[in-house]
């Protein structure tokens, strides 16, 4: 028996790693009238719909997905934000 | 007087909008030993460090940033996930 889950995963560049996309966004925000903005970092938000025996197993499998594919272990950190039954 | 805040923003493709990157990730996960995975959507996670009078104002300004630059109003939804004093 398995149940359906929606897993929300955040993958962001590590602090101290150069993030050119974040720098470009910060510059654009300054030009658009947001001078108060400082550092910006841009990562990915991944929503995975999957099946598992329970929420704990779904979370474990999602962490494996991050290690194998979704996150670059050298430059990025990942976090399983939520495991929601659907 | 202003204070520093870190704002966490999620931008994801709307449901029903074709997401080729999500489809590619789902296919790759199937090949890598995750056959249980169904739909995958890939969006962006943006971390903005900024200054504002208070958390409510920081959140309002962040929503404006999404409307003007960070999210495509036609194809994407955004959510201000957190406004954290730093």
């Amino acid at each position: 028996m398995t149940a359906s889950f929606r897993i929300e995963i955040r993958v962001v560049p590590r602090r101290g790693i150069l993030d050119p996309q974040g720098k470009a966004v910060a510059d654009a925000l300054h030009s658009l009238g947001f001078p108060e903005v400082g550092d910006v970092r841009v990562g990915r938000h991944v929503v995975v719909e999957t099946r598992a025996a329970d929420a704990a197993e779904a979370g474990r499998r999602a962490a494996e997905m991050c290690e194998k594919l979704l996150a670059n272990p050298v430059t990025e950190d990942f976090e399983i934000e939520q495991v929601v039954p659907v």
Side-chain angles (χ1 to χ4, degrees), chain A:
Chain A
M1 271 293 281
T2 59
S4 293
F5 295 93
R6 189 183 74 243
I7 305 172
E8 307 263 347
I9 301 165
R10 150 196 356 198
V11 181
V12 285
R14 292 226 163 109
R15 279 190 168 280
I17 296 271
L18 199 66
D19 175 15
Q21 194 182 355
K23 178 73 170 60
V25 168
D27 290 349
L29 286 171
H30 296 157
S31 305
L32 288 169
F34 301 97
E36 73 271 30
V37 167
D39 194 48
V40 175
R41 277 174 301 142
V42 179
R44 293 185 300 291
H45 185 90
V46 186
V47 184
V48 176
E49 294 184 0
T50 190
R51 297 188 67 82
D54 54 38
E57 193 208 325
R60 273 195 303 276
R61 292 285 282 173
E64 279 182 53
M65 293 174 206
C66 289
E67 285 157 10
K68 286 199 181 164
L69 181 74
L70 301 177
N72 178 335
V74 178
T75 60
E76 295 175 320
D77 288 318
F78 69 85
E79 187 184 331
I80 313 296
E81 288 191 341
Q82 299 192 69
V83 178
V84 185
V86 288

